[in-house]
Amino acid sequence: MTEEAKNVDIVVGPANHLGYSSFQLGGFEFSRDEYFVHIKWPKGKHVMEIDRFLRAMVRDIGWGFFYGWIFFDDVFGTHNHYGTVDIFAGAYDEGCKAAGIDYLETFTSDSVSKGFETISKNWINEGYDPLNAPMETGSPMGEKTRESDKPLLRNFIAAKRMLGLKGDVAVRSDETGHPINRAFADVPVDNPDIEVEPGFEGQLHAINLFDHIARSDVTWNPSISSATRNSLCCVTSEEHMLPVIHGNDRNEWFFQLSDEIHWKVQDKNTGRPRGIIVMKAGDVCAMPADIRHQGFSPKRSMLMVMENASPDLPELYASGKLAPYPIEF
Ligand code: PHB
Ligand code: FE
């Protein structure tokens, strides 16, 4: 599968009557109208709301295709092989497979990133940011106006030292210009007391993580807040629905820091329902390695995600050498 990855440029077609170009990447064709994206492949075609498509696509690019599978909806998505990426349609949907219209093509990661970036830039108008919560941005619908000049992705600001210690490159949260989000107006944002033993001044610090997350202007976009070898701790603010359905190639842990998220959990390969998890503030759960899941956050909430980024894990789970869940009860 990964041997014959196509390293191709996306082909840009002429603009339609609404001003949007159509595109071809390998066997896939993409076009949009005022409300929908239309995706075609050799044996089939599919239609999806444009908002859902763009919110999924910018995250897929920004996350470097993430861990495992990113389903834009039940039919269309990507599968990360870390260097190469499958784009699939219907390949993990029982109905599409039974009808023989499923399709999968493998590309270099670079081809897909560049291709998806080209589509997103052409289709995102000024005033619409797919990383914002739907109530905090404009609409992606309608004819083309002006391409947004906002960056498509948010670059991480990497800290060199603990945030707040002299010499770190990250700006203090109260100096970023990012206001506390409307939904977190009641969150205490006082700073922790720090009592340093003599001789350790300037080496120990602490921040209020709630204050940090409360100022995020994006949703469903985890940022790495600490890394210990392959163990990554990511925090994120969530509102409305996770714009992708994530299929795991490893376990991941969720810590609900505030409010509530409802997770729909399905079998990874077939999409059959496996369960619903309602996580309330303080709840912790592990998402197993053999499922796909999508979160729904009725009110903006704070979530911490722990990922083990070890490159050996997908093979260990896929071969059954590791059980798909972390604990045997
Ligand atoms: C996930 O797929 O596990 C995920 C993705 C984005 C988030 C939170 C969780 O913001
Ligand atoms: Fe996930």
Side-chain angles (χ1 to χ4, degrees), residues 218-255:
V218 295
T219 55
W220 304 106
N221 195 37
S223 22
I224 298 168
S225 53
S226 83
T228 310
R229 299 207 187 94
N230 280 321
S231 177
L232 306 182
C233 171
C234 308
V235 292
T236 161
S237 67
E238 319 295 45
E239 181 175 327
H240 189 240
M241 63 196 224
L242 175 57
V244 306
I245 305 162
H246 177 214
N248 289 35
D249 65 5
R250 66 197 70 217
N251 276 276
E252 62 183 335
W253 289 89
F254 292 158
F255 300 73

Side-chain angles (χ1 to χ4, degrees), residues 66-67 242 246-248 252 254 263 287 291 293 305 307:
F66 215 44
Y67 300 108
L242 175 57
H246 177 214
N248 289 35
E252 62 183 335
F254 292 158
W263 290 97
M287 285 288 159
I291 53 105
H293 56 275
V305 183
E307 292 280 358

Side-chain angles (χ1 to χ4, degrees), residues 76-98:
F76 179 83
T78 59
H79 178 194
N80 195 359
H81 300 289
Y82 310 95
T84 67
V85 184
D86 302 335
I87 302 182
F88 61 80
Y92 302 92
D93 179 83
E94 283 188 323
C96 289
K97 285 176 81 159

